[in-house]
Amino acid sequence: MAYGWGRTFIRYRNFEVTSDHHRIFIKKGLFHQTEFSIPKEKVEAIILNTKFLQKILGIVEVRIVSTAEEDDEEMKTANILFPFIHKNKALLLISEILPTFKVETDMVNLPRSAIFVKLVRTSYIWIAAGAIFYFWPRLWYVPLAFLVLTHTSQLLSGLSNGYKIRGPFIQLQSGSFSTKLFITTRMKIEELKVTESVLQRKFGLASLEIFTRSKSVQVSKISDIPKDVAISCYQWYGKNGGNKGSCIE
């Protein structure tokens, strides 16, 4: 904990974000100060990451997916727009710094059938837990804790995951104890993929994957959304015209 606190303090001390009409300027560092400049037109998407403790405190980490990323370690951290910031303040500043992106707060939750599918998908855990209990009965608390943790994670995933499409914007929220909110526009999507498993097909569900450009391809996925919504996303993406790589499986 001390190492993590010290490393974070040294890296993000004197952190400052400014912008003009064309570029974002980021300055950070205690002993070794670094400065970055990212063209706004190269920002492909915005990601809001929230870990479990941060979720309790209402804090998020804001990242940007940019085609201006480089390979060295310092430049990899340039895509962190805000390392720690209150969620409400983050939404306000994002609209000021990147007015071409819009974050919606009223998202559509997954259907209740998605929670059942997520629990069924992890039913193999019961077999592993039963084997541990049979061969090592003294360790009964290990499979019990594992089952509680796994099913709680799937339940939170079904309750917290969601999606939203409004105009040219799309955003997906996935995760359980930690969540990831992905926001991009139709013109920034390189590829969109809709898939469905046998189990999803029985409940009218599907998975949606969005690929955006960066130094390495950024993939964002949400599972177990209604199939008709996934098809609507596919058709919505097709309105962009001339996109390549879209598919339905």
Side-chain angles (χ1 to χ4, degrees):
M1 290 178 63
Y3 170 78
W5 180 87
R7 183 172 180 266
T8 302
F9 180 81
I10 293 173
R11 172 175 289 185
Y12 294 112
R13 179 64 176 173
N14 301 318
F15 191 90
E16 183 179 289
V17 177
T18 57
S19 68
D20 57 23
H21 293 293
H22 304 288
R23 305 183 75 89
I24 301 172
F25 304 93
I26 301 175
K27 181 176 68 174
K28 65 181 181 67
L30 178 61
F31 303 115
H32 176 62
Q33 288 194 354
T34 54
E35 297 185 15
F36 308 101
S37 173
I38 303 173
K40 290 186 177 182
E41 68 270 12
K42 291 185 177 294
V43 177
E44 303 293 316
I46 300 174
I47 298 176
L48 277 69
N49 290 317
T50 309
K51 296 182 180 179
F52 180 70
L53 183 58
Q54 292 175 332
K55 187 184 299 185
I56 297 176
L57 299 175
I59 296 174
V60 298
E61 176 197 65
V62 182
R63 289 178 173 266
I64 55 177
V65 178
S66 171
T67 54
E69 295 179 67
E70 300 293 340
D71 291 329
D72 59 275
E73 183 64 25
E74 288 297 331
M75 285 301 293
K76 285 182 180 179
T77 62
N79 63 349
I80 300 180
L81 189 61
F82 300 109
F84 308 99
I85 188 172
H86 194 276
K87 184 176 181 179
N88 293 335
K89 189 174 183 179
L91 298 180
L92 178 63
L93 291 178
I94 288 173
S95 62
E96 293 181 1
I97 297 174
L98 294 167
T100 56
F101 287 86
K102 185 177 181 180
V103 184
E104 298 286 348
T105 55
D106 56 331
M107 299 185 64
V108 181
N109 296 324
L110 299 183
R112 290 293 177 261
S113 58
I115 300 177
F116 178 76
V117 169
K118 291 180 183 295
L119 293 175
V120 172
R121 190 179 290 124
T122 57
S123 59
Y124 66 91
I125 299 297
W126 286 91
I127 300 175
I132 294 175
F133 182 78
Y134 180 81
F135 291 105
W136 300 281
R138 293 183 178 180
L139 301 177
W140 59 270
Y141 52 87
V142 175
L144 178 61
F146 192 55
L147 284 171
V148 171
L149 184 64
T150 302
H151 285 75
T152 301
S153 174
Q154 295 302 314
L155 180 62
L156 290 175
S157 176
L159 293 175
S160 63
N161 290 7
Y163 55 91
K164 186 74 173 184
I165 296 180
R166 179 168 293 178
F169 300 97
I170 184 170
Q171 61 186 57
L172 309 175
Q173 179 165 293
S174 58
S176 54
F177 293 107
S178 299
T179 58
K180 168 186 172 183
L181 178 61
F182 173 84
I183 307 106
T184 190
T185 64
R186 185 166 52 202
M187 292 296 296
K188 299 290 187 178
I189 299 175
E190 185 73 10
E191 179 181 343
L192 185 145
K193 180 186 293 186
V194 176
T195 61
E196 61 175 353
S197 65
V198 175
L199 181 61
Q200 287 176 324
R201 188 178 297 118
K202 291 183 179 297
F203 289 88
L205 304 174
S207 297
L208 179 68
E209 290 182 81
I210 292 179
F211 300 77
T212 49
R213 291 172 294 171
S214 64
K215 195 68 177 180
S216 57
V217 177
Q218 173 73 38
V219 183
S220 295
K221 179 178 180 180
I222 184 171
S223 300
D224 306 320
I225 64 175
K227 184 178 179 179
D228 57 341
V229 172
I231 298 300
S232 297
C233 292
Y234 179 82
Q235 296 171 344
W236 166 85
Y237 175 62
K239 293 179 182 179
N240 197 13
N243 284 293
K244 55 186 178 180
S246 56
C247 62
I248 299 181
E249 297 181 355

